[in-house]
Structure formats: structure tokens, C-alpha cells
Amino acid sequence: YHKGNGLVSNDIRTLSYIDFSESLWMGSSDNGISILSQLGFQNLGSDLGLPSLKVTRIIEHQSTILVATSAGLAVFYYLPGVSFPLMLHQYTVANTSGGLIGDNIVDMLLTETGILLWLQLMESAIFHWSNWIMILPGKPLVDLAVLF
């Protein structure tokens, strides 16, 4: 597939097969998400709740889809009988009370025990540091900053 026959971009950076919707989500570096299902292609962009068109990771978790972008995290879900995803929530610096140090999420990982970790990189002229954020089920955001 390519931009001429359904993809939002030819620069796809992340793929995730979503079992419960039987669809392939393809995140691009510059134009959001293409979703390929039995119905064909659907495109998901900022008009449907994506914080940024630069998608860095897509993860299925139970009945939701977690999408990391350069401007925060978005959580989507499907209603029974509805063939397109709906945004459940966005997480950004502005609405996490300090849980996020920045909106640019470079990568994320969901552990087998349901803990979500994500990586944010910040650079300055003096030091470079990396920040892993952890969401514990039922707990507020915890900041796990590591200087190096």
C-alpha cells in the first residue's frame, strides 16, 4: 500500500494489529494514522482527537488503543456496532498536573502486568536526559526521571 491507494503517508513508522477490531493501525511520521480493516481504509487525524499527526507508537490494551504522538497520548475505543474509533481521552502536559514533563512521547511499552511506560527525551546545551513515565493501574502518573 502507499499514499495513492489509501495510506495517509508513505512514511509509516509504527504498526499494530488490533485484535478486537480486526484492523491494522499504521502510524505515520507526518500525517496521522491509517486503519486497514475489512471495510477498507480509514484515516485518523487531529480532527478525530489525535494530539499530533506524528505518531510514534500504537498499542492495544484490552478494549482500548493507546497512541503515542509528538504532542501527547491519546486513548481510543470502539463502540459495539460502530465501525470507527472514538477518542476516550488525551493526556498532555496541560492536563496531567505535572505527570508529563513534555508532550513529545518518543516510545512506549505496556508490560504484561498492565503497567504503561513511555519515553520522553529532552535536550539542552548542558545535559541530555531521558524520562520514563509509568502509569500504575488505578494510580496517578509517576515520574521516573533518570539523568545521564
Side-chain angles (χ1 to χ4, degrees):
Y1 295 104
H2 53 82
K3 191 170 180 176
N5 66 2
L7 287 180
V8 293
S9 172
N10 289 328
D11 193 0
I12 300 298
R13 298 295 176 104
T14 183
L15 297 169
S16 185
Y17 183 77
I18 307 301
D19 286 318
F20 67 84
S21 65
E22 298 179 345
S23 59
L24 180 64
W25 285 46
M26 297 166 272
S28 75
S29 68
D30 60 352
N31 208 16
I33 297 172
S34 289
I35 303 168
L36 180 60
S37 69
Q38 294 175 354
L39 301 173
F41 276 104
Q42 294 176 320
N43 295 325
L44 182 61
S46 54
D47 56 334
L48 294 175
L50 205 55
S52 166
L53 297 179
K54 182 178 180 181
V55 178
T56 56
R57 182 71 63 205
I58 301 168
I59 296 175
E60 176 180 14
H61 177 57
Q62 298 173 350
S63 62
T64 61
I65 300 111
L66 311 172
V67 179
T69 76
S70 63
L73 175 72
V75 181
F76 293 89
Y77 70 105
Y78 284 89
L79 284 175
V82 176
S83 62
F84 58 89
L86 302 169
M87 190 190 68
L88 183 62
H89 195 74
Q90 276 189 14
Y91 296 95
T92 64
V93 170
N95 67 10
T96 57
S97 301
L100 282 175
I101 58 162
D103 289 328
N104 187 13
I105 300 172
V106 177
D107 202 359
M108 68 180 175
L109 169 74
L110 185 65
T111 69
E112 291 180 9
T113 58
I115 297 172
L116 179 66
L117 300 166
W118 70 78
L119 177 66
Q120 296 179 274
L121 298 178
M122 310 279 292
E123 293 187 35
S124 75
I126 301 171
F127 64 90
H128 173 89
W129 62 284
S130 181
N131 189 29
W132 279 96
I133 305 294
M134 179 171 64
I135 298 178
L136 299 171
K139 303 281 185 184
L141 293 175
V142 177
D143 188 351
L144 301 176
V146 180
L147 290 173
F148 53 155

